[in-house]
PDB file of all heavy atoms in Angstrom:
ATOM      1  N   HIS Q 377     -21.953   4.515  -6.636  1.00  0.00           N
ATOM      2  CA  HIS Q 377     -23.292   5.040  -6.905  1.00  0.00           C
ATOM      3  C   HIS Q 377     -23.344   6.563  -7.062  1.00  0.00           C
ATOM      4  O   HIS Q 377     -24.266   7.080  -7.694  1.00  0.00           O
ATOM      5  CB  HIS Q 377     -24.255   4.618  -5.792  1.00  0.00           C
ATOM      6  CG  HIS Q 377     -24.526   3.139  -5.762  1.00  0.00           C
ATOM      7  ND1 HIS Q 377     -23.797   2.265  -4.987  1.00  0.00           N
ATOM      8  CD2 HIS Q 377     -25.430   2.380  -6.441  1.00  0.00           C
ATOM      9  CE1 HIS Q 377     -24.251   1.026  -5.173  1.00  0.00           C
ATOM     10  NE2 HIS Q 377     -25.247   1.071  -6.046  1.00  0.00           N
ATOM     11  N   ALA Q 378     -22.358   7.277  -6.487  1.00  0.00           N
ATOM     12  CA  ALA Q 378     -22.442   8.748  -6.527  1.00  0.00           C
ATOM     13  C   ALA Q 378     -21.174   9.424  -7.036  1.00  0.00           C
ATOM     14  O   ALA Q 378     -21.161  10.637  -7.194  1.00  0.00           O
ATOM     15  CB  ALA Q 378     -22.797   9.287  -5.142  1.00  0.00           C
ATOM     16  N   GLY Q 379     -20.108   8.668  -7.254  1.00  0.00           N
ATOM     17  CA  GLY Q 379     -18.915   9.248  -7.845  1.00  0.00           C
ATOM     18  C   GLY Q 379     -17.852   9.639  -6.839  1.00  0.00           C
ATOM     19  O   GLY Q 379     -18.035   9.557  -5.613  1.00  0.00           O
ATOM     20  N   TRP Q 380     -16.722  10.095  -7.388  1.00  0.00           N
ATOM     21  CA  TRP Q 380     -15.549  10.397  -6.576  1.00  0.00           C
ATOM     22  C   TRP Q 380     -15.771  11.571  -5.619  1.00  0.00           C
ATOM     23  O   TRP Q 380     -15.352  11.530  -4.469  1.00  0.00           O
ATOM     24  CB  TRP Q 380     -14.357  10.689  -7.479  1.00  0.00           C
ATOM     25  CG  TRP Q 380     -13.109  10.995  -6.700  1.00  0.00           C
ATOM     26  CD1 TRP Q 380     -12.623  12.222  -6.372  1.00  0.00           C
ATOM     27  CD2 TRP Q 380     -12.223  10.043  -6.115  1.00  0.00           C
ATOM     28  NE1 TRP Q 380     -11.478  12.100  -5.623  1.00  0.00           N
ATOM     29  CE2 TRP Q 380     -11.212  10.770  -5.446  1.00  0.00           C
ATOM     30  CE3 TRP Q 380     -12.177   8.656  -6.088  1.00  0.00           C
ATOM     31  CZ2 TRP Q 380     -10.167  10.161  -4.779  1.00  0.00           C
ATOM     32  CZ3 TRP Q 380     -11.138   8.037  -5.412  1.00  0.00           C
ATOM     33  CH2 TRP Q 380     -10.147   8.784  -4.772  1.00  0.00           C
ATOM     34  N   THR Q 381     -16.432  12.620  -6.077  1.00  0.00           N
ATOM     35  CA  THR Q 381     -16.619  13.803  -5.225  1.00  0.00           C
ATOM     36  C   THR Q 381     -17.438  13.462  -3.986  1.00  0.00           C
ATOM     37  O   THR Q 381     -17.114  13.899  -2.868  1.00  0.00           O
ATOM     38  CB  THR Q 381     -17.302  14.934  -6.013  1.00  0.00           C
ATOM     39  OG1 THR Q 381     -16.487  15.270  -7.146  1.00  0.00           O
ATOM     40  CG2 THR Q 381     -17.488  16.162  -5.152  1.00  0.00           C
ATOM     41  N   ALA Q 382     -18.485  12.662  -4.161  1.00  0.00           N
ATOM     42  CA  ALA Q 382     -19.320  12.265  -3.023  1.00  0.00           C
ATOM     43  C   ALA Q 382     -18.521  11.414  -2.045  1.00  0.00           C
ATOM     44  O   ALA Q 382     -18.622  11.594  -0.812  1.00  0.00           O
ATOM     45  CB  ALA Q 382     -20.545  11.503  -3.516  1.00  0.00           C
ATOM     46  N   MET Q 383     -17.707  10.492  -2.574  1.00  0.00           N
ATOM     47  CA  MET Q 383     -16.893   9.670  -1.679  1.00  0.00           C
ATOM     48  C   MET Q 383     -15.860  10.526  -0.949  1.00  0.00           C
ATOM     49  O   MET Q 383     -15.588  10.317   0.244  1.00  0.00           O
ATOM     50  CB  MET Q 383     -16.190   8.554  -2.457  1.00  0.00           C
ATOM     51  CG  MET Q 383     -15.567   7.500  -1.547  1.00  0.00           C
ATOM     52  SD  MET Q 383     -14.504   6.317  -2.393  1.00  0.00           S
ATOM     53  CE  MET Q 383     -12.965   7.242  -2.483  1.00  0.00           C
ATOM     54  N   SER Q 384     -15.284  11.505  -1.643  1.00  0.00           N
ATOM     55  CA  SER Q 384     -14.311  12.397  -1.004  1.00  0.00           C
ATOM     56  C   SER Q 384     -14.945  13.175   0.135  1.00  0.00           C
ATOM     57  O   SER Q 384     -14.323  13.391   1.185  1.00  0.00           O
ATOM     58  CB  SER Q 384     -13.731  13.367  -2.042  1.00  0.00           C
ATOM     59  OG  SER Q 384     -13.013  12.675  -3.033  1.00  0.00           O
ATOM     60  N   LEU Q 385     -16.192  13.602  -0.047  1.00  0.00           N
ATOM     61  CA  LEU Q 385     -16.904  14.311   1.015  1.00  0.00           C
ATOM     62  C   LEU Q 385     -17.114  13.402   2.216  1.00  0.00           C
ATOM     63  O   LEU Q 385     -16.935  13.821   3.370  1.00  0.00           O
ATOM     64  CB  LEU Q 385     -18.247  14.814   0.486  1.00  0.00           C
ATOM     65  CG  LEU Q 385     -19.126  15.575   1.485  1.00  0.00           C
ATOM     66  CD1 LEU Q 385     -18.408  16.822   2.002  1.00  0.00           C
ATOM     67  CD2 LEU Q 385     -20.461  15.950   0.846  1.00  0.00           C
ATOM     68  N   ALA Q 386     -17.476  12.129   1.955  1.00  0.00           N
ATOM     69  CA  ALA Q 386     -17.658  11.178   3.052  1.00  0.00           C
ATOM     70  C   ALA Q 386     -16.342  10.935   3.787  1.00  0.00           C
ATOM     71  O   ALA Q 386     -16.311  10.844   5.025  1.00  0.00           O
ATOM     72  CB  ALA Q 386     -18.215   9.865   2.509  1.00  0.00           C
ATOM     73  N   VAL Q 387     -15.239  10.842   3.047  1.00  0.00           N
ATOM     74  CA  VAL Q 387     -13.925  10.654   3.666  1.00  0.00           C
ATOM     75  C   VAL Q 387     -13.561  11.875   4.519  1.00  0.00           C
ATOM     76  O   VAL Q 387     -13.067  11.742   5.641  1.00  0.00           O
ATOM     77  CB  VAL Q 387     -12.852  10.396   2.591  1.00  0.00           C
ATOM     78  CG1 VAL Q 387     -11.449  10.474   3.184  1.00  0.00           C
ATOM     79  CG2 VAL Q 387     -13.073   9.034   1.929  1.00  0.00           C
ATOM     80  N   ALA Q 388     -13.808  13.085   3.992  1.00  0.00           N
ATOM     81  CA  ALA Q 388     -13.493  14.310   4.730  1.00  0.00           C
ATOM     82  C   ALA Q 388     -14.291  14.386   6.030  1.00  0.00           C
ATOM     83  O   ALA Q 388     -13.758  14.797   7.078  1.00  0.00           O
ATOM     84  CB  ALA Q 388     -13.777  15.528   3.857  1.00  0.00           C
ATOM     85  N   MET Q 389     -15.558  13.995   5.985  1.00  0.00           N
ATOM     86  CA  MET Q 389     -16.380  13.991   7.207  1.00  0.00           C
ATOM     87  C   MET Q 389     -15.846  12.986   8.219  1.00  0.00           C
ATOM     88  O   MET Q 389     -15.849  13.242   9.430  1.00  0.00           O
ATOM     89  CB  MET Q 389     -17.826  13.673   6.847  1.00  0.00           C
ATOM     90  CG  MET Q 389     -18.521  14.766   6.039  1.00  0.00           C
ATOM     91  SD  MET Q 389     -20.160  14.280   5.448  1.00  0.00           S
ATOM     92  CE  MET Q 389     -21.025  14.049   6.992  1.00  0.00           C
ATOM     93  N   THR Q 390     -15.363  11.845   7.741  1.00  0.00           N
ATOM     94  CA  THR Q 390     -14.783  10.838   8.638  1.00  0.00           C
ATOM     95  C   THR Q 390     -13.519  11.358   9.289  1.00  0.00           C
ATOM     96  O   THR Q 390     -13.259  11.115  10.476  1.00  0.00           O
ATOM     97  CB  THR Q 390     -14.493   9.543   7.860  1.00  0.00           C
ATOM     98  OG1 THR Q 390     -15.674   9.108   7.187  1.00  0.00           O
ATOM     99  CG2 THR Q 390     -14.028   8.443   8.792  1.00  0.00           C
ATOM    100  N   ILE Q 391     -12.697  12.088   8.527  1.00  0.00           N
ATOM    101  CA  ILE Q 391     -11.478  12.683   9.081  1.00  0.00           C
ATOM    102  C   ILE Q 391     -11.832  13.698  10.175  1.00  0.00           C
ATOM    103  O   ILE Q 391     -11.178  13.753  11.227  1.00  0.00           O
ATOM    104  CB  ILE Q 391     -10.640  13.337   7.966  1.00  0.00           C
ATOM    105  CG1 ILE Q 391     -10.111  12.261   7.015  1.00  0.00           C
ATOM    106  CG2 ILE Q 391      -9.484  14.142   8.549  1.00  0.00           C
ATOM    107  CD1 ILE Q 391      -9.446  12.811   5.767  1.00  0.00           C
ATOM    108  N   CYS Q 392     -12.866  14.490   9.946  1.00  0.00           N
ATOM    109  CA  CYS Q 392     -13.308  15.453  10.967  1.00  0.00           C
ATOM    110  C   CYS Q 392     -13.732  14.738  12.246  1.00  0.00           C
ATOM    111  O   CYS Q 392     -13.458  15.211  13.363  1.00  0.00           O
ATOM    112  CB  CYS Q 392     -14.449  16.306  10.427  1.00  0.00           C
ATOM    113  SG  CYS Q 392     -13.957  17.469   9.134  1.00  0.00           S
ATOM    114  N   LEU Q 393     -14.402  13.588  12.094  1.00  0.00           N
ATOM    115  CA  LEU Q 393     -14.778  12.807  13.264  1.00  0.00           C
ATOM    116  C   LEU Q 393     -13.541  12.320  14.011  1.00  0.00           C
ATOM    117  O   LEU Q 393     -13.504  12.315  15.253  1.00  0.00           O
ATOM    118  CB  LEU Q 393     -15.652  11.621  12.840  1.00  0.00           C
ATOM    119  CG  LEU Q 393     -16.119  10.673  13.945  1.00  0.00           C
ATOM    120  CD1 LEU Q 393     -16.905  11.422  15.016  1.00  0.00           C
ATOM    121  CD2 LEU Q 393     -16.965   9.544  13.351  1.00  0.00           C
ATOM    122  N   MET Q 394     -12.503  11.941  13.276  1.00  0.00           N
ATOM    123  CA  MET Q 394     -11.256  11.513  13.918  1.00  0.00           C
ATOM    124  C   MET Q 394     -10.598  12.652  14.695  1.00  0.00           C
ATOM    125  O   MET Q 394      -9.980  12.423  15.740  1.00  0.00           O
ATOM    126  CB  MET Q 394     -10.286  10.963  12.874  1.00  0.00           C
ATOM    127  CG  MET Q 394     -10.562   9.535  12.465  1.00  0.00           C
ATOM    128  SD  MET Q 394      -9.227   8.865  11.453  1.00  0.00           S
ATOM    129  CE  MET Q 394      -9.622   9.594   9.865  1.00  0.00           C
ATOM    130  N   VAL Q 395     -10.697  13.864  14.175  1.00  0.00           N
ATOM    131  CA  VAL Q 395     -10.143  15.018  14.891  1.00  0.00           C
ATOM    132  C   VAL Q 395     -10.827  15.160  16.252  1.00  0.00           C
ATOM    133  O   VAL Q 395     -10.173  15.406  17.272  1.00  0.00           O
ATOM    134  CB  VAL Q 395     -10.306  16.308  14.062  1.00  0.00           C
ATOM    135  CG1 VAL Q 395      -9.949  17.534  14.891  1.00  0.00           C
ATOM    136  CG2 VAL Q 395      -9.444  16.253  12.806  1.00  0.00           C
ATOM    137  N   VAL Q 396     -12.142  14.979  16.279  1.00  0.00           N
ATOM    138  CA  VAL Q 396     -12.882  15.058  17.539  1.00  0.00           C
ATOM    139  C   VAL Q 396     -12.448  13.948  18.487  1.00  0.00           C
ATOM    140  O   VAL Q 396     -12.218  14.170  19.687  1.00  0.00           O
ATOM    141  CB  VAL Q 396     -14.397  14.972  17.269  1.00  0.00           C
ATOM    142  CG1 VAL Q 396     -15.172  14.907  18.584  1.00  0.00           C
ATOM    143  CG2 VAL Q 396     -14.861  16.157  16.433  1.00  0.00           C
ATOM    144  N   VAL Q 397     -12.300  12.734  17.961  1.00  0.00           N
ATOM    145  CA  VAL Q 397     -11.919  11.584  18.794  1.00  0.00           C
ATOM    146  C   VAL Q 397     -10.524  11.777  19.371  1.00  0.00           C
ATOM    147  O   VAL Q 397     -10.302  11.601  20.576  1.00  0.00           O
ATOM    148  CB  VAL Q 397     -11.982  10.279  17.966  1.00  0.00           C
ATOM    149  CG1 VAL Q 397     -11.365   9.116  18.750  1.00  0.00           C
ATOM    150  CG2 VAL Q 397     -13.421   9.956  17.592  1.00  0.00           C
ATOM    151  N   SER Q 398      -9.561  12.142  18.537  1.00  0.00           N
ATOM    152  CA  SER Q 398      -8.176  12.275  19.003  1.00  0.00           C
ATOM    153  C   SER Q 398      -7.981  13.495  19.888  1.00  0.00           C
ATOM    154  O   SER Q 398      -7.060  13.532  20.710  1.00  0.00           O
ATOM    155  CB  SER Q 398      -7.221  12.351  17.808  1.00  0.00           C
ATOM    156  OG  SER Q 398      -7.477  13.511  17.033  1.00  0.00           O
ATOM    157  N   GLY Q 399      -8.834  14.505  19.765  1.00  0.00           N
ATOM    158  CA  GLY Q 399      -8.685  15.715  20.559  1.00  0.00           C
ATOM    159  C   GLY Q 399      -9.365  15.667  21.902  1.00  0.00           C
ATOM    160  O   GLY Q 399      -9.223  16.594  22.704  1.00  0.00           O
ATOM    161  N   SER Q 400     -10.106  14.597  22.191  1.00  0.00           N
ATOM    162  CA  SER Q 400     -10.830  14.513  23.459  1.00  0.00           C
ATOM    163  C   SER Q 400     -10.001  13.784  24.505  1.00  0.00           C
ATOM    164  O   SER Q 400      -9.171  12.934  24.192  1.00  0.00           O
ATOM    165  CB  SER Q 400     -12.162  13.769  23.255  1.00  0.00           C
ATOM    166  OG  SER Q 400     -11.930  12.458  22.777  1.00  0.00           O
ATOM    167  N   GLY Q 401     -10.229  14.127  25.769  1.00  0.00           N
ATOM    168  CA  GLY Q 401      -9.564  13.442  26.879  1.00  0.00           C
ATOM    169  C   GLY Q 401      -8.076  13.728  26.955  1.00  0.00           C
ATOM    170  O   GLY Q 401      -7.556  14.654  26.336  1.00  0.00           O
ATOM    171  N   LYS Q 402      -7.366  12.900  27.725  1.00  0.00           N
ATOM    172  CA  LYS Q 402      -5.929  13.048  27.894  1.00  0.00           C
ATOM    173  C   LYS Q 402      -5.200  12.546  26.666  1.00  0.00           C
ATOM    174  O   LYS Q 402      -5.681  11.681  25.950  1.00  0.00           O
ATOM    175  CB  LYS Q 402      -5.444  12.276  29.133  1.00  0.00           C
ATOM    176  CG  LYS Q 402      -5.960  12.833  30.450  1.00  0.00           C
ATOM    177  CD  LYS Q 402      -5.405  12.033  31.616  1.00  0.00           C
ATOM    178  CE  LYS Q 402      -5.900  12.597  32.947  1.00  0.00           C
ATOM    179  NZ  LYS Q 402      -5.392  11.813  34.097  1.00  0.00           N
ATOM    180  N   ASP Q 403      -4.017  13.107  26.457  1.00  0.00           N
ATOM    181  CA  ASP Q 403      -3.180  12.665  25.345  1.00  0.00           C
ATOM    182  C   ASP Q 403      -2.612  11.295  25.681  1.00  0.00           C
ATOM    183  O   ASP Q 403      -1.857  11.147  26.635  1.00  0.00           O
ATOM    184  CB  ASP Q 403      -2.036  13.661  25.130  1.00  0.00           C
ATOM    185  CG  ASP Q 403      -1.198  13.333  23.904  1.00  0.00           C
ATOM    186  OD1 ASP Q 403      -1.358  12.228  23.358  1.00  0.00           O
ATOM    187  OD2 ASP Q 403      -0.393  14.187  23.494  1.00  0.00           O
ATOM    188  N   PRO Q 404      -2.964  10.233  24.901  1.00  0.00           N
ATOM    189  CA  PRO Q 404      -2.440   8.907  25.225  1.00  0.00           C
ATOM    190  C   PRO Q 404      -0.933   8.839  25.144  1.00  0.00           C
ATOM    191  O   PRO Q 404      -0.304   7.988  25.759  1.00  0.00           O
ATOM    192  CB  PRO Q 404      -3.098   7.991  24.185  1.00  0.00           C
ATOM    193  CG  PRO Q 404      -3.696   8.877  23.171  1.00  0.00           C
ATOM    194  CD  PRO Q 404      -3.862  10.229  23.770  1.00  0.00           C
ATOM    195  N   GLY Q 405      -0.305   9.748  24.375  1.00  0.00           N
ATOM    196  CA  GLY Q 405       1.143   9.758  24.291  1.00  0.00           C
ATOM    197  C   GLY Q 405       1.805  10.303  25.535  1.00  0.00           C
ATOM    198  O   GLY Q 405       3.005  10.214  25.705  1.00  0.00           O
ATOM    199  N   GLN Q 406       1.009  10.893  26.450  1.00  0.00           N
ATOM    200  CA  GLN Q 406       1.569  11.462  27.664  1.00  0.00           C
ATOM    201  C   GLN Q 406       1.036  10.787  28.918  1.00  0.00           C
ATOM    202  O   GLN Q 406       1.275  11.237  30.022  1.00  0.00           O
ATOM    203  CB  GLN Q 406       1.251  12.959  27.715  1.00  0.00           C
ATOM    204  CG  GLN Q 406       1.879  13.721  26.560  1.00  0.00           C
ATOM    205  CD  GLN Q 406       1.429  15.154  26.514  1.00  0.00           C
ATOM    206  OE1 GLN Q 406       0.515  15.554  27.192  1.00  0.00           O
ATOM    207  NE2 GLN Q 406       2.087  15.945  25.673  1.00  0.00           N
ATOM    208  N   VAL Q 407       0.302   9.706  28.756  1.00  0.00           N
ATOM    209  CA  VAL Q 407      -0.240   8.992  29.907  1.00  0.00           C
ATOM    210  C   VAL Q 407       0.827   8.075  30.468  1.00  0.00           C
ATOM    211  O   VAL Q 407       1.415   7.295  29.737  1.00  0.00           O
ATOM    212  CB  VAL Q 407      -1.478   8.161  29.499  1.00  0.00           C
ATOM    213  CG1 VAL Q 407      -1.946   7.302  30.646  1.00  0.00           C
ATOM    214  CG2 VAL Q 407      -2.596   9.083  29.058  1.00  0.00           C
ATOM    215  N   PRO Q 408       1.134   8.145  31.770  1.00  0.00           N
ATOM    216  CA  PRO Q 408       2.166   7.269  32.326  1.00  0.00           C
ATOM    217  C   PRO Q 408       1.719   5.827  32.309  1.00  0.00           C
ATOM    218  O   PRO Q 408       0.526   5.525  32.406  1.00  0.00           O
ATOM    219  CB  PRO Q 408       2.329   7.778  33.762  1.00  0.00           C
ATOM    220  CG  PRO Q 408       1.033   8.423  34.087  1.00  0.00           C
ATOM    221  CD  PRO Q 408       0.536   9.014  32.800  1.00  0.00           C
ATOM    222  N   HIS Q 409       2.685   4.949  32.155  1.00  0.00           N
ATOM    223  CA  HIS Q 409       2.376   3.514  32.154  1.00  0.00           C
ATOM    224  C   HIS Q 409       1.871   3.086  33.525  1.00  0.00           C
ATOM    225  O   HIS Q 409       2.543   3.314  34.528  1.00  0.00           O
ATOM    226  CB  HIS Q 409       3.633   2.725  31.789  1.00  0.00           C
ATOM    227  CG  HIS Q 409       3.466   1.257  31.993  1.00  0.00           C
ATOM    228  ND1 HIS Q 409       2.598   0.503  31.246  1.00  0.00           N
ATOM    229  CD2 HIS Q 409       4.028   0.420  32.887  1.00  0.00           C
ATOM    230  CE1 HIS Q 409       2.654  -0.747  31.653  1.00  0.00           C
ATOM    231  NE2 HIS Q 409       3.513  -0.825  32.646  1.00  0.00           N
ATOM    232  N   PRO Q 410       0.683   2.461  33.619  1.00  0.00           N
ATOM    233  CA  PRO Q 410       0.125   2.106  34.922  1.00  0.00           C
ATOM    234  C   PRO Q 410       0.713   0.817  35.454  1.00  0.00           C
ATOM    235  O   PRO Q 410       0.546  -0.237  34.859  1.00  0.00           O
ATOM    236  CB  PRO Q 410      -1.373   1.943  34.630  1.00  0.00           C
ATOM    237  CG  PRO Q 410      -1.408   1.483  33.217  1.00  0.00           C
ATOM    238  CD  PRO Q 410      -0.215   2.084  32.531  1.00  0.00           C
ATOM    239  N   GLY Q 411       1.395   0.863  36.562  1.00  0.00           N
ATOM    240  CA  GLY Q 411       1.898  -0.340  37.204  1.00  0.00           C
ATOM    241  C   GLY Q 411       0.790  -1.016  37.972  1.00  0.00           C
ATOM    242  O   GLY Q 411      -0.284  -0.460  38.201  1.00  0.00           O
ATOM    243  N   PRO Q 412       1.000  -2.252  38.412  1.00  0.00           N
ATOM    244  CA  PRO Q 412      -0.046  -2.990  39.132  1.00  0.00           C
ATOM    245  C   PRO Q 412      -0.528  -2.272  40.370  1.00  0.00           C
ATOM    246  O   PRO Q 412      -1.707  -2.281  40.683  1.00  0.00           O
ATOM    247  CB  PRO Q 412       0.659  -4.316  39.482  1.00  0.00           C
ATOM    248  CG  PRO Q 412       1.746  -4.450  38.471  1.00  0.00           C
ATOM    249  CD  PRO Q 412       2.200  -3.061  38.164  1.00  0.00           C
ATOM    250  N   ALA Q 413       0.383  -1.625  41.109  1.00  0.00           N
ATOM    251  CA  ALA Q 413      -0.052  -0.948  42.336  1.00  0.00           C
ATOM    252  C   ALA Q 413      -0.983   0.198  42.026  1.00  0.00           C
ATOM    253  O   ALA Q 413      -1.919   0.464  42.762  1.00  0.00           O
ATOM    254  CB  ALA Q 413       1.178  -0.455  43.100  1.00  0.00           C
ATOM    255  N   GLN Q 414      -0.752   0.881  40.896  1.00  0.00           N
ATOM    256  CA  GLN Q 414      -1.652   1.972  40.515  1.00  0.00           C
ATOM    257  C   GLN Q 414      -3.031   1.428  40.192  1.00  0.00           C
ATOM    258  O   GLN Q 414      -4.043   2.023  40.527  1.00  0.00           O
ATOM    259  CB  GLN Q 414      -1.085   2.709  39.305  1.00  0.00           C
ATOM    260  CG  GLN Q 414       0.051   3.643  39.654  1.00  0.00           C
ATOM    261  CD  GLN Q 414       0.592   4.274  38.402  1.00  0.00           C
ATOM    262  OE1 GLN Q 414       0.890   3.593  37.436  1.00  0.00           O
ATOM    263  NE2 GLN Q 414       0.714   5.576  38.419  1.00  0.00           N
ATOM    264  N   ARG Q 415      -3.067   0.276  39.525  1.00  0.00           N
ATOM    265  CA  ARG Q 415      -4.368  -0.276  39.148  1.00  0.00           C
ATOM    266  C   ARG Q 415      -5.154  -0.702  40.377  1.00  0.00           C
ATOM    267  O   ARG Q 415      -6.369  -0.767  40.367  1.00  0.00           O
ATOM    268  CB  ARG Q 415      -4.177  -1.474  38.206  1.00  0.00           C
ATOM    269  CG  ARG Q 415      -3.614  -1.093  36.866  1.00  0.00           C
ATOM    270  CD  ARG Q 415      -3.760  -2.232  35.889  1.00  0.00           C
ATOM    271  NE  ARG Q 415      -3.094  -3.434  36.350  1.00  0.00           N
ATOM    272  CZ  ARG Q 415      -1.810  -3.693  36.097  1.00  0.00           C
ATOM    273  NH1 ARG Q 415      -1.087  -2.833  35.426  1.00  0.00           N
ATOM    274  NH2 ARG Q 415      -1.263  -4.809  36.525  1.00  0.00           N
ATOM    275  N   GLN Q 416      -4.449  -1.040  41.466  1.00  0.00           N
ATOM    276  CA  GLN Q 416      -5.132  -1.457  42.678  1.00  0.00           C
ATOM    277  C   GLN Q 416      -5.421  -0.280  43.603  1.00  0.00           C
ATOM    278  O   GLN Q 416      -5.927  -0.447  44.704  1.00  0.00           O
ATOM    279  CB  GLN Q 416      -4.257  -2.480  43.415  1.00  0.00           C
ATOM    280  CG  GLN Q 416      -4.055  -3.753  42.592  1.00  0.00           C
ATOM    281  CD  GLN Q 416      -2.981  -4.642  43.187  1.00  0.00           C
ATOM    282  OE1 GLN Q 416      -2.491  -4.386  44.287  1.00  0.00           O
ATOM    283  NE2 GLN Q 416      -2.620  -5.681  42.473  1.00  0.00           N
TER     284      GLN Q 416
END
Side-chain angles (χ1 to χ4, degrees):
H377 292 93
W380 181 264
T381 301
M383 192 189 83
S384 296
L385 180 60
V387 169
M389 292 173 63
T390 306
I391 294 171
C392 290
L393 179 58
M394 279 190 281
V395 170
V396 174
V397 170
S398 63
S400 60
K402 294 181 179 179
D403 185 348
Q406 298 173 349
V407 174
H409 170 66
Q414 283 177 310
R415 293 194 301 272
Q416 297 169 8

